[in-house]
Amino acid sequence: MEHLMAYIIGILFGSAVYMMLRRSIVKLVIGLMILSNAANLLIFTVAGMTRGAPPLIAEGALMPEGAVADPLPQALVLTAIVIAFGVLAFAVVLIHRAYEVVGNDDLDQMKDTDT
Amino acid sequence: MLFAVLSGFIVAALAPWLMGFLKDRIGWGLALLPAGLTLYFASFIPAVSGGEVVLQHWAWMPILDVHLSFMLDGLSLMFALLISFIGTFILIYAGAYLKGHEYLGRFYVIMLSFMASMLGLVLSNNLISLFVFWELTSVTSYLLIGFNHRDLDARKCALQGLFVTVAGGLALMAGLVMLGLVSGSFQISEVLVADGLLESPLITGIIICVLLGTFTKSAQFPFHFWLPNAMAAPTPVSAYLHSATMVKAGIYLMARLNPALGEHMLWTVLLCSAGGITMLLGVYLAYSATGVKKVLAYSTVMALGTLTMLIGIGTDYAMIAFASFLLGHSLYKGALFMIAGALDHETGTKDLTRMGGLRKAMPITATAALIAGLSLAGLPPLFGFIGKELMLEAVLSAEWQSSLLLVAAVLTASLGIAVAAAVAIKPFWGKVGDTPKKPHEAPVGMWLGPVVLAATSLLFGILPFLPEGWVVAAAVTSVKGQSVDFYLSLWHGINLPLILSGASLVAGAVLYALWGRTRAPLTMVNDVFSRVGPEVGYFRFMSAMTGFAAWQTRVLQNGVMGIYMIVLIMTTVVLAGYTLLSQYGLHLTLTGIGEVHFYEWAIALLMVMAAVYVIFTRSRLGAVATIGALGFSVALIFILFSAPDLGITQVLIETLTVILLVLVLFRLPGFSHYSSRFEIWRDGTVAVLFGGLMTLLMLGALDTRYFETISGFFVEASYPEAQGRNIVNVILVDFRALDTLGEIFVLAIAAMGVYSMLRLRAEVKDDRG
């Protein structure tokens, strides 16, 4: 499954970059979202994917029985998902504000620091 | 000695505060420091003239062989005495010259820092700490030249001086580092006695780099142009930095390293030729100038050239001449600069052609000027005479191009006499000039320095065994690297130097008589040469550099975000891709593809479709829905592959995201088609390359494993140590709790950002309403 995911994640990255290079400001945000999904999946995948063995410890046991999925990348990705949402919320409000000020949604028109 | 050097910096820090107490007497008060230092250094005279070398050592960065270690031998002692002795009178003088200036406190801070740096420079026994002090003098001198910072010209000249000396400083640093490496020690006392230095393959590089540093600092041709421009500084600064001290730093370093490098032919040739040209050019320019400070500045260039040439000649006579000439020059040039400042102060003009007959109005200044001028001209019984006679003697003893140097030296002597007369006689004798201010005698603070320095010149000339026994003999020993038997005297009998002196005196008198009539033609000649001189090169270089910077900014910082991203992404793709392909190769593996369940295939297909559809759709709602589908597919992947917490979070966040997008994005305009066909292909290529790179990187990461995962620790320690059964949660809130705290901060900041942007809009609307 990991190898299949490698190809899919490559496609997601490509799609994200293409969207972020568009001049329309809304597409930039959409590209950003795909990018963060792709990055999360990347971290999740390269650590190895395990079916049906979540990193939980049963009641009364000191350790999980048998092998479980790697908890460390999961913890990292969990943080990343939340941060990505914070960034996205900020970006969405920012571009909305920028659009209001510049009066245009073309990124190429947003070249000056003075408006 | 550490305290002697540091005291300048300490008092500098206190100077503005002392201003409040001493008010107009600040100059006198602060002058106590250099006066005390003069006495302190003078207390070493018996030991040093007896041949002793005083070494003191404080480890600074021992691991790098960088120390605050000081060496006091004849050469250092002579410089240290000059710096503190002349410094005493300069500080008094500045108090009177800049009386009531609003930034007098700041002036003293920089001036004292400069003095301390200069002392550190001449006392350092470590190449690196010497370089640090060297740069400190450049920086403080920049601040002093640009002291009148509201004046555009002063700022430009200060910058020019800084650029030229600091560029040389860079070369010097390279030279000093090479020198330290080749000789195996950064301690100067050890470098001077290091074996095999001259046989090293790096020796040419060392000499060229060191000389680039010293030539720029000491205004040798072709870097001489910054020194006259530095006269934009207030006169006390010119008198101190640009006559007696800073410009002599390069001279000091050459003299200091002469025992180590002096035997090399390149050293001799470069020093003699640059010194000779500078000497002649300097005196010619001094003769042709009319501003009193410019005349003195060019005559300083002349003196610096002479000193460089003397080090280059390197014979016993040359070393004696070097030490005597240096001492003589510092005394009379310091005095003359202060007199120039007094003239400017009292008459309101710097133009020599407008001055005359000031002897009656300013008798004390006139007397000091006459004595200092005679010393500059090299006439008996002044100390300058001894220096000049020895200089001619030294040139006669030169082993390289003796006759050429002799011609230059005699020409210089003749023109020098005319220059001395122009500065010291022209303003005070003859017809009373027409000056903007009615002249009267300068205040005591302003004539004290010139009088003392001129009197010292006279005293040393009449009693030459005094300076000889005190410092000159010891200084000659330091520069030569061994002791030299000699005695200084005014009368050596009738010999070739004396005859040449006599001839140059006659020539000088003629040249002075022609002074008034030669102004116009010389100005014309100089105008022609100023169009091809090295200074033009400097301005060309500077404008080319700013032009290049502007062009580079236009190209790189063009304000188009797409271009920035393409540059960043393609740089990553090329560097990472090259490394990956060259180190690892291309491996498109498909391991385990057969074990993928059909529903996993379905999710994978869904994600690919979403990724592709979002590119081609022209509907905003379609795009947002597609993004939602992608996010929920990711959540499914998390859930299927043993990450329930991630799945839950992803579902929550994805829901919020879609709501947010629907709320905000639909206030924005719909998708427009901005890109040209070329841009679409270009961006598409970049995207495909980047996606491909990420796939290859992931495949590479999956197929190689250099070490075991560290997760075992968290799995084992989760319950026994942290009492938690959900290992992911335990990591987040316990083992890596600080990361989570950081995450909370990020969210809080993002929330504040969002809130403030919304508030801002509300306020703008209120304003409009």
Side-chain angles (χ1 to χ4, degrees):
Chain A
M1 186 64 190
E2 289 92 342
H3 288 73
L4 175 65
M5 286 302 289
Y7 295 93
I8 292 169
I9 292 168
I11 293 170
L12 288 184
F13 269 117
S15 165
V17 165
Y18 183 81
M19 289 302 279
M20 289 175 80
L21 288 174
R22 298 302 88 218
R23 282 161 65 180
S24 171
I25 200 163
V26 179
K27 290 189 179 178
L28 173 74
V29 174
I30 289 173
L32 198 64
M33 295 167 64
I34 306 175
L35 191 74
S36 61
N37 272 323
N40 290 343
L41 279 177
L42 185 149
I43 299 170
F44 186 73
T45 307
V46 285
M49 299 168 87
T50 315
R51 289 190 187 87
L56 301 170
I57 301 169
E59 206 59 56
L62 280 177
M63 275 213 286
E65 287 172 35
V68 289
D70 194 335
L72 193 57
Q74 291 193 20
L76 296 178
V77 171
L78 193 64
T79 311
I81 293 173
V82 180
I83 298 251
F85 176 70
V87 172
L88 178 78
F90 186 81
V92 166
V93 178
L94 182 70
I95 62 158
H96 184 238
R97 181 91 191 102
Y99 169 70
E100 276 187 340
V101 172
V102 181
N104 198 320
D105 74 329
D106 183 357
L107 272 174
D108 282 8
Q109 304 301 316
M110 299 187 185
K111 286 162 73 171
D112 297 322
T113 47
D114 313 310
T115 310
Chain B
M1 264 184 274
L2 179 66
F3 185 72
V5 172
L6 291 184
S7 63
F9 291 115
I10 296 168
V11 177
L14 299 177
W17 179 72
L18 287 171
M19 275 290 289
F21 282 99
L22 296 167
K23 305 233 160 52
D24 283 351
R25 291 182 303 279
I26 179 81
W28 298 89
L30 289 177
L32 289 176
L33 173 75
L37 287 175
T38 312
L39 293 179
Y40 171 76
F41 287 117
S43 73
F44 284 98
I45 286 178
V48 171
S49 60
E52 200 181 314
V53 176
V54 186
L55 291 173
Q56 289 182 4
H57 191 86
W58 282 269
W60 184 8
M61 290 179 267
I63 205 164
L64 296 173
D65 200 10
V66 175
H67 308 282
L68 271 179
S69 58
F70 298 107
M71 170 167 67
L72 194 65
D73 64 351
L75 185 67
S76 305
L77 182 64
M78 185 158 87
F79 271 95
L81 279 172
L82 283 174
I83 292 163
S84 40
F85 182 65
I86 297 179
T88 309
F89 298 104
I90 295 285
L91 290 186
I92 297 173
Y93 180 83
Y97 186 84
L98 292 174
K99 190 175 170 186
H101 196 286
E102 55 177 325
Y103 296 130
L104 189 56
R106 182 190 297 176
F107 176 81
Y108 277 118
V109 172
I110 314 173
M111 199 69 169
L112 285 165
S113 312
F114 168 78
M115 192 185 77
S117 317
M118 198 64 210
L119 279 176
L121 199 165
V122 298
L123 292 172
S124 275
N125 186 27
N126 185 285
L127 291 175
I128 302 298
S129 56
L130 179 141
F131 177 75
V132 171
F133 286 119
W134 177 283
E135 292 293 275
L136 275 175
T137 62
S138 293
V139 172
T140 43
S141 120
Y142 164 70
L143 295 172
L144 286 169
I145 300 172
F147 183 67
N148 293 323
H149 58 87
R150 296 212 180 88
D151 178 3
L152 178 67
D153 265 350
R155 292 205 304 273
K156 271 189 181 163
C157 294
L159 204 59
Q160 188 184 49
L162 185 75
F163 273 131
V164 174
T165 51
V166 168
L170 274 180
L172 177 71
M173 183 170 73
L176 292 181
V177 168
M178 283 194 281
L179 185 63
L181 293 178
V182 168
S183 47
S185 167
F186 281 92
Q187 295 298 101
I188 294 174
S189 49
E190 288 163 36
V191 169
L192 294 183
V193 293
D195 291 326
L197 192 57
L198 293 181
E199 286 76 46
S200 156
L202 286 177
I203 189 67
T204 316
I206 292 176
I207 289 182
I208 289 177
C209 286
V210 168
L211 290 187
L212 271 175
T214 59
F215 281 9
T216 47
K217 192 83 159 181
S218 285
Q220 297 297 303
F221 179 83
F223 307 111
H224 61 281
F225 54 86
W226 72 265
L227 182 59
N229 292 340
M231 295 300 133
T235 303
V237 175
S238 313
Y240 195 39
L241 273 67
H242 306 120
S243 64
T245 54
M246 187 186 93
V247 289
K248 295 232 172 79
I251 302 290
Y252 165 79
L253 189 60
M254 288 189 276
R256 172 54 76 213
L257 296 176
N258 187 50
L261 304 171
E263 294 299 310
H264 202 278
M265 195 57 200
L266 183 65
W267 179 268
T268 308
V269 171
L270 283 178
L271 259 61
C272 284
S273 47
I277 295 173
T278 310
M279 175 174 79
L280 203 54
L281 186 68
V283 78
Y284 161 71
L285 290 170
Y287 180 71
S288 66
T290 53
V292 56
K293 279 182 84 178
K294 288 268 175 191
V295 173
L296 290 174
Y298 282 122
S299 85
T300 304
V301 171
M302 178 269 282
L304 295 169
T306 311
L307 290 168
T308 305
M309 179 189 75
L310 287 173
I311 301 173
I313 291 173
T315 57
D316 288 359
Y317 264 122
M319 292 304 137
I320 303 164
F322 167 77
S324 315
F325 194 92
L326 177 80
L327 183 60
H329 174 256
S330 301
L331 293 175
Y332 68 68
K333 195 50 69 64
L336 284 175
F337 260 114
M338 287 195 253
I339 290 164
L343 285 174
D344 179 16
H345 203 262
E346 301 309 326
T347 63
T349 178
K350 290 189 173 85
D351 192 349
L352 277 174
T353 54
R354 297 178 67 180
M355 295 179 199
L358 292 169
R359 173 171 45 115
K360 295 209 181 66
M362 311 172 72
I364 306 174
T365 311
T367 314
L370 181 66
I371 298 173
L374 287 176
S375 196
L376 166 64
L379 293 179
L382 279 304
F383 195 67
F385 173 69
I386 298 179
K388 196 188 63 175
E389 292 299 288
L390 283 166
M391 188 266 278
L392 292 169
E393 191 92 52
V395 170
L396 284 170
S397 76
E399 285 149 17
W400 185 78
Q401 299 290 355
S402 177
S403 42
L404 258 181
L405 292 178
L406 187 67
V407 172
V410 173
L411 269 174
T412 305
S414 314
L415 278 162
I417 286 165
V419 168
V423 192
I425 296 178
K426 170 88 178 56
F428 298 103
W429 267 263
K431 207 166 71 209
V432 174
D434 157 42
T435 52
K437 268 165 78 176
K438 187 165 164 40
H440 49 80
E441 185 56 85
V444 57
M446 288 180 69
W447 58 252
L448 183 69
V451 166
V452 172
L453 293 182
T456 313
S457 285
L458 187 61
L459 178 75
F460 282 3
I462 297 169
L463 304 172
F465 56 86
L466 282 183
E468 179 201 318
W470 289 346
V471 288
V472 173
V476 170
T477 309
S478 316
V479 186
K480 187 66 189 167
Q482 66 205 38
S483 72
V484 176
D485 232 9
F486 72 98
Y487 67 95
L488 297 179
S489 83
L490 281 173
W491 180 250
H492 283 278
I494 297 184
N495 53 10
L496 193 50
L498 189 69
I499 295 168
L500 291 172
S501 275
S504 60
L505 183 62
V506 176
V510 174
L511 283 167
Y512 176 58
L514 293 172
W515 195 82
R517 256 172 281 165
T518 47
R519 293 306 89 187
L522 287 178
T523 314
M524 257 170 56
V525 173
N526 287 353
D527 278 351
V528 172
F529 279 103
S530 70
R531 269 178 238 140
V532 291
E535 192 169 9
V536 180
Y538 167 83
F539 286 122
R540 289 249 171 87
F541 177 76
M542 293 311 289
S543 69
M545 197 159 76
T546 46
F548 176 73
W551 171 81
Q552 181 193 283
T553 310
R554 259 198 325 275
V555 171
L556 293 179
Q557 316 258 324
N558 47 25
V560 181
M561 190 163 102
I563 304 286
Y564 294 172
M565 280 178 53
I566 290 175
V567 169
L568 287 176
I569 292 171
M570 284 316 290
T571 310
T572 313
V573 167
V574 169
L575 292 180
Y578 171 77
T579 313
L580 183 74
L581 293 180
S582 62
Q583 304 292 318
Y584 180 73
L586 185 66
H587 300 285
L588 283 171
T589 46
L590 278 169
T591 321
I593 206 96
E595 297 160 23
V596 179
H597 295 295
F598 76 93
Y599 51 87
E600 292 164 0
W601 275 111
I603 298 170
L605 193 65
L606 188 62
M607 289 201 286
V608 173
M609 279 165 57
V612 175
Y613 177 76
V614 83
I615 290 177
F616 292 104
T617 184
R618 309 199 81 181
S619 134
R620 281 176 299 169
L621 188 62
V624 171
T626 318
I627 288 298
L630 177 64
F632 287 113
S633 309
V634 173
L636 276 176
I637 295 271
F638 289 150
I639 291 165
L640 285 174
F641 289 91
S642 318
D645 303 288
L646 291 190
I648 296 165
T649 317
Q650 177 80 13
V651 168
L652 268 174
I653 294 289
E654 210 53 52
T655 314
L656 275 175
T657 306
V658 172
I659 293 172
L660 181 77
L661 288 181
V662 170
L663 279 179
V664 177
L665 289 193
F666 287 92
R667 295 172 172 218
L668 294 172
F671 291 168
S672 324
H673 199 76
Y674 286 124
S675 305
S676 66
R677 182 171 280 277
F678 163 75
E679 284 169 333
I680 289 173
W681 278 100
R682 178 193 67 189
D683 298 348
T685 313
V686 172
V688 168
L689 283 174
F690 187 68
L693 173 77
M694 293 312 286
T695 298
L696 288 177
L697 278 176
M698 277 187 73
L699 290 173
L702 290 169
D703 292 337
T704 44
R705 173 153 289 196
Y706 292 108
F707 42 82
E708 278 308 303
T709 167
I710 56 166
S711 302
F713 164 79
F714 297 107
V715 174
E716 282 162 26
S718 175
Y719 189 72
E721 288 188 20
Q723 311 291 318
R725 297 188 181 279
N726 183 333
I727 303 172
V728 175
N729 286 6
V730 169
I731 293 175
L732 282 173
V733 299
D734 192 313
F735 293 120
R736 312 285 314 156
L738 268 181
D739 289 0
T740 310
L741 185 69
E743 177 193 355
I744 293 170
F745 275 120
V746 171
L747 285 182
I749 291 167
M752 280 192 283
V754 169
Y755 178 73
S756 58
M757 274 190 286
L758 294 175
R759 272 299 294 266
L760 197 66
R761 187 178 55 185
E763 274 165 24
V764 170
K765 274 184 183 158
D766 285 354
D767 287 351
R768 281 180 195 148

